[in-house]
Amino acid sequence: MSTSVDDYAVGRVVETQIHPNVSWGAIMVGAVVAVSLGTMLNTLGLAAAASLVETLTRETPTTQSMAVGSGVWLALSTAISLFLGALAAARLAHRWDMTDSALHGLAVWGVATLLAAALLGSAMSGGVAAGVRGVGAAAGGAANAMGAAVPALTPEDALDGLGGRLFGQGNAAATPREEAMAEASQIFLRRMRDGQWVPQDRARIEVLIAAIAGIPQPEAATRINETEAAVQATLQRAEETARRAADAAARATAVGAFWAFAALLLGLGAAVLGARSGTHPGRAALARRRDTVRV
């Protein structure tokens, strides 16, 4: 309460009620409301997207259309939830100034964003986290799964699939054949890793293959060359597949990031608009007369 000499002179007392600049309680309530509504709407979006999958009739929408639809839904649900959360915060904070209300809406947006990020980053289980995370990651899910399903192919793996071409079916005794195959495999893999033949290794493997497969040494040399070309082709195809998967995953990540940025930007505008909508200029004058001046 504050008074002045002139006020006493005219027999009037001015009572001033001071509000704090920031109402953190209202901001936290608005943020919780926004995150809860966003979780509910995103869970609904996930259910709608899952209902469109038709594996039996193969009428499932394309990955691109699903990604676009998920991004649009994420942006709209974010805007709606932040608008209502900021509106609730402005009403609870009793802000009668448009600028103060807009700043409270901005604070609701910031707190809600941090709260949502903390919830998504924690080890939550159940449908709430799955719903929010599922809609946000729908754009890149297929590409990431494809990239994870393409392991790096090693020369050993390639040779395992082409060992019959190299060794054939010989008549040597079991133990000597196994030892010879092991030595030949080591020599062949060393060549694949080094990128070129060591002269003594080349001569040795021709002898081993001829003995293992029971064929002349010139035919063994031809078989080694064919197997070498086949292994290189297999490795090149595997590398190309892995590169395509990585490229698709990178593009999907970029698209998802752009959609997330658009959702945050739209949510920011919605939060400010919602907070300003929660302010009634008509009630502001009455509140100021009631709260600041009493005669």
Side-chain angles (χ1 to χ4, degrees), residues 33-114:
V33 169
V35 173
S36 300
L37 288 175
T39 300
M40 181 182 68
L41 292 175
N42 283 320
T43 304
L44 176 62
L46 178 62
S51 66
L52 295 177
V53 177
E54 295 289 346
T55 57
L56 296 179
T57 60
R58 297 184 179 180
E59 296 179 355
T60 302
T62 63
T63 302
Q64 183 176 3
S65 61
M66 290 284 284
V68 172
S70 299
V72 171
W73 180 261
L74 175 64
L76 290 178
S77 62
T78 301
I80 293 172
S81 59
L82 283 170
F83 178 88
L84 295 177
L87 188 148
R91 290 294 182 90
L92 292 175
H94 299 290
R95 296 292 103 181
W96 311 119
D97 180 77
M98 287 293 184
T99 302
D100 286 348
S101 295
L103 292 176
H104 275 70
L106 179 63
V108 169
W109 172 82
V111 173
T113 301
L114 293 178

Side-chain angles (χ1 to χ4, degrees), residues 26-265:
I27 290 173
M28 293 303 299
V29 170
V32 170
V33 169
V35 173
S36 300
L37 288 175
T39 300
M40 181 182 68
L41 292 175
N42 283 320
T43 304
L44 176 62
L46 178 62
S51 66
L52 295 177
V53 177
E54 295 289 346
T55 57
L56 296 179
T57 60
R58 297 184 179 180
E59 296 179 355
T60 302
T62 63
T63 302
Q64 183 176 3
S65 61
M66 290 284 284
V68 172
S70 299
V72 171
W73 180 261
L74 175 64
L76 290 178
S77 62
T78 301
I80 293 172
S81 59
L82 283 170
F83 178 88
L84 295 177
L87 188 148
R91 290 294 182 90
L92 292 175
H94 299 290
R95 296 292 103 181
W96 311 119
D97 180 77
M98 287 293 184
T99 302
D100 286 348
S101 295
L103 292 176
H104 275 70
L106 179 63
V108 169
W109 172 82
V111 173
T113 301
L114 293 178
L115 182 60
L119 292 177
L120 290 176
S122 64
M124 292 183 62
S125 60
V128 172
V132 180
R133 185 181 299 110
V135 174
N144 289 334
M146 181 177 65
V150 182
L153 187 66
T154 64
E156 289 84 353
D157 298 330
L159 183 59
D160 286 342
L162 298 169
R165 175 180 297 188
L166 181 62
F167 300 120
Q169 299 294 330
N171 298 321
T175 301
R177 175 180 170 83
E178 291 177 359
E179 294 176 354
M181 288 177 63
E183 183 181 356
S185 298
Q186 292 177 359
I187 295 174
F188 191 88
L189 293 174
R190 183 160 58 243
R191 178 264 175 268
M192 298 305 300
R193 287 191 293 265
D194 296 342
Q196 61 183 0
W197 284 106
V198 177
Q200 56 268 29
D201 283 350
R202 176 68 188 202
R204 177 60 178 167
I205 194 173
E206 289 181 3
V207 173
L208 290 172
I209 297 300
I212 293 170
I215 57 177
Q217 190 165 334
E219 185 177 346
T222 302
R223 181 176 294 185
I224 292 171
N225 293 335
E226 293 175 351
T227 305
E228 179 183 355
V231 170
Q232 288 179 337
T234 301
L235 293 175
Q236 289 175 357
R237 286 194 300 270
E239 182 181 1
E240 183 179 354
T241 301
R243 287 181 181 274
R244 286 199 301 267
D247 184 66
R251 287 198 303 269
T253 300
V255 171
F258 279 123
W259 275 115
F261 174 79
L264 289 174
L265 185 61

